[in-house]
Amino acid sequence: MPEPLEPEPLESVPAAFAPHDHRACETRVLDEAADRLAELGGRLTPVRRRTLEILLESHRAMGAYEVLDRLATEGFGRQPPVAYRALEFLVEHGLAHRLQRLNAFAACLHPGRDHAPAFLICRACDALAELPAAPVRAALADLAADTGFIIERATIEAVGLCPVCVKAAA
Amino acid sequence: MPEPLEPEPLESVPAAFAPHDHRACETRVLDEAADRLAELGGRLTPVRRRTLEILLESHRAMGAYEVLDRLATEGFGRQPPVAYRALEFLVEHGLAHRLQRLNAFAACLHPGRDHAPAFLICRACDALAELPAAPVRAALADLAADTGFIIERATIEAVGLCPVCVKAAA
DNA sequence: AATAGAAATGTAATAAGGTAACACGCGTTG
DNA sequence: CAACGCGTGTTACCTTATTACATTTCTATT
Ligand SMILES: [Zn+2]
Ligand SMILES: [Zn+2]
Ligand SMILES: [Zn+2]
Ligand SMILES: [Zn+2]
């Protein structure tokens, strides 16, 4: 066994950028989502659950209309609010994130309380990684504090090349 | 004289958040823009110049269609590409920024080479401040480097309350 | 000055993203 | 059984952005 010692403590190369047992990702997140909703009091109805599953199918962000198409072909409503409401619910409950650079959504891979990650978006393969961004946010908070500005929400998104595509380009 | 010693070295409270001689902002940026374009080889045509002036009228971000309305009433074209092309030109030449959170654009207040700022957006009064964000970007670069991801562009935008609106709320 | 090519501007048409307003069904709860 | 909240669905509409193409304006070269 190569490295069974660390379950996923710092996750130096995000799963999104490496081959992995993705089925495990999906079931883990779905389980955590159920737990989290039990605490918060939200209901994971069929549309909502299916929306989360669709987002979870790949480590990338999906547009609302792409999600909607999927939902529609699976027998749910085919009007925009169907997708937007489900996505909004997931975002509000910390189960998904909205990517500003892409006008798109992605499942949250770490549905813990009040985490506020940074995102790395590969422009070549669309892979999306979600990183704990405490130091970045701290630096930003410092900047803002000097000006008297009070930050409520911050968007930290980077576009570039993931390790796989860097290698491929070389 | 209270503090005439520092012209604007660190700009601890951004002009956007304080009363100031805004006419001076406008003329300074327009001058700098002309200089910068002379070096880069871009042409500040009438539409482009007017677009920049419109963005410069206030320290806030404007939607493309808001800009377009202004241009149209002033005798320029009234189709979306007119505004989008002018805005794109300004962004490409470092004279304006695109705000992802707002789907909007703002004049760059410091049109120096390769600066990559963070933005503070007041949700109450729409004021927009542009801050040098080197430390934040460094922190983000560190995170990304650990994963092997190569950052090409990063979006750092915060929404909250500016000092003025904080006071007003209290 | 003539003129060919590049750059800039304009239009029409359409795609993509997002929201408001309303009707229905269903499971509470008094 | 109301009365209610909530979730889901629909229609209609609004905002944002791009594609395609025609026309004009600059610029460079002869
Ligand atoms: Zn996975
Ligand atoms: Zn990639
Ligand atoms: Zn700037
Ligand atoms: Zn404010």
Side-chain angles (χ1 to χ4, degrees), chain B residues 84-106:
Chain B
Y84 279 103
R85 281 195 290 236
L87 290 166
E88 180 186 28
F89 172 88
L90 295 176
V91 169
E92 278 177 353
H93 291 76
L95 305 180
H97 296 286
R98 179 176 209 130
L99 283 289
Q100 305 283 350
R101 285 202 76 111
L102 304 175
N103 288 339
F105 302 82

Side-chain angles (χ1 to χ4, degrees), chain A residues 122 125 162 165:
Chain A
C122 180
C125 71
C162 78
C165 294

Side-chain angles (χ1 to χ4, degrees), chain A residues 149, chain B residues 16-17 121-127 160-166:
Chain A
F149 188 96
Chain B
F17 297 154
I121 305 163
C122 179
R123 67 166 162 79
C125 71
D126 291 330
L161 285 179
C162 78
V164 176
C165 293
V166 168

Side-chain angles (χ1 to χ4, degrees), chain A residues 143-149, chain B residues 6 8-15 17 120 131 163:
Chain A
L143 275 191
D146 292 344
T147 75
F149 188 96
Chain B
E6 302 197 356
E8 81 163 14
L10 272 176
E11 194 180 357
S12 69
V13 170
F17 297 154
L120 304 181
L131 271 64

